[in-house]
Amino acid sequence: MRMSRLLRFSTSARAHSPTAISRSMTSDFPTTHLGGSAAQVQVGKVGHGLMFMTWRPVPVPDEQCFGSMRTSLEHGVNFFNSGEFYGMNPGEANLDLIRRFLDAYPQHAEKMFVSVKSASPAAEPALRQSVANIRAHLGAKKLDLFQCARVDRDVPIEGAMQMLEKLRGEGLFDHIGISECSANTLRRACKVAPVAVVEIEVSPFAYEEETKAVIAAAAELNVAVAAYSPLGMGFLMGAIKSRSDLEQGDLRAHMDKWSEANFDNNLRLAEALQAIARERGITPAQLCIAWVSSLGSHVIPIPGSS
């Protein structure tokens, strides 16, 4: 995968309008395949994160969300990442956004591969209820991939995978994903049931030894990596210069990278990366997305799209 091809797809703050994205895309946008039971599913080499469209004090207007989602689909970006709890009121606001989008643009339903995380514990009644809730909010759109948001410490991964495979066998969703796991946990999970996607944070701000180990294990096991927050949740793009730039109630204000103790040091690191991007005549977002994608043919950066 050549980085130059991905650099054509800008997800900078100014490129979220349909017009801007259209000018930066070409018809030969790179693709890859998912893993496990979804090995035949082809997706764009960049995905589309939906979380911060709704998980914020003031959700992004539908018109802006729909323009971003529609343009992604029209240009080959078809892996959409959502969550049952990606909203402040109600928690299912992100799923409702997807339903409203497909009500308005039903022709995109088959193109759109939707991955949804659940915050439920890995016990069968809770998982079953979560799946039913997600399906109800999605409406006519099928649930392509279901995953727990975290590995349940009280339930061995083998037991969790057995329950997920049972639900999948009932036709409640098509594929299984795992989120925020170690390489060892991924290996254990794949011995029980096919894992299509493992979701972990990957960016120039998040590339620890365990991250490298998960990416390597996923390649060995034929599992795709959904790399969330490749832009450091916006930190690396250069738009935010101080903590006061965050709107009141922004979830990022409570995260370690954004804390008062760490902000200034991290800002200097972000500025150094932005300087590298300027030298190459590209945006910091393009640089981060291309770098994350270059970590493997199975690695799919899913930048936020708000």
Side-chain angles (χ1 to χ4, degrees), residues 188-228:
R188 290 166 54 197
C190 287
K191 291 179 179 179
V192 178
V195 177
V197 175
V198 58
E199 183 176 339
I200 56 172
E201 182 176 4
V202 189
S203 79
F205 260 12
Y207 195 51
E208 292 80 13
E209 290 304 312
E210 189 59 45
T211 305
K212 299 174 186 177
V214 172
I215 292 173
E220 176 188 332
L221 298 165
N222 187 32
V223 177
V225 176
Y228 77 84

Side-chain angles (χ1 to χ4, degrees), residues 49-51 79-83 85-86 115-118 145-151 176-182 186 195-202 211 214 218 223-229 300 302:
L50 297 171
M51 183 176 78
F79 183 93
F80 284 74
N81 188 261
S82 182
F85 51 93
Y86 280 179
S115 167
V116 182
K117 285 182 289 296
S118 163
L145 184 145
F146 176 79
Q147 60 182 328
C148 299
R150 295 290 187 273
V151 175
I176 299 170
I178 300 182
S179 181
E180 301 285 21
C181 72
S182 67
L186 179 60
V195 177
V197 175
V198 58
E199 183 176 339
I200 56 172
E201 182 176 4
V202 189
T211 305
V214 172
V223 177
V225 176
Y228 77 84
S229 296
I300 307 166
I302 48 172

Side-chain angles (χ1 to χ4, degrees), residues 51-92:
M51 183 176 78
F52 274 124
M53 283 184 168
T54 56
W55 204 2
R56 56 194 304 156
V58 180
V60 179
D62 276 4
E63 181 181 1
Q64 182 177 337
C65 295
F66 290 1
S68 178
M69 296 163 73
R70 187 177 66 250
T71 302
S72 286
L73 286 161
E74 290 170 352
H75 292 281
V77 178
N78 59 333
F79 183 93
F80 284 74
N81 188 261
S82 182
E84 184 183 13
F85 51 93
Y86 280 179
M88 293 188 172
N89 186 22
E92 298 92 349

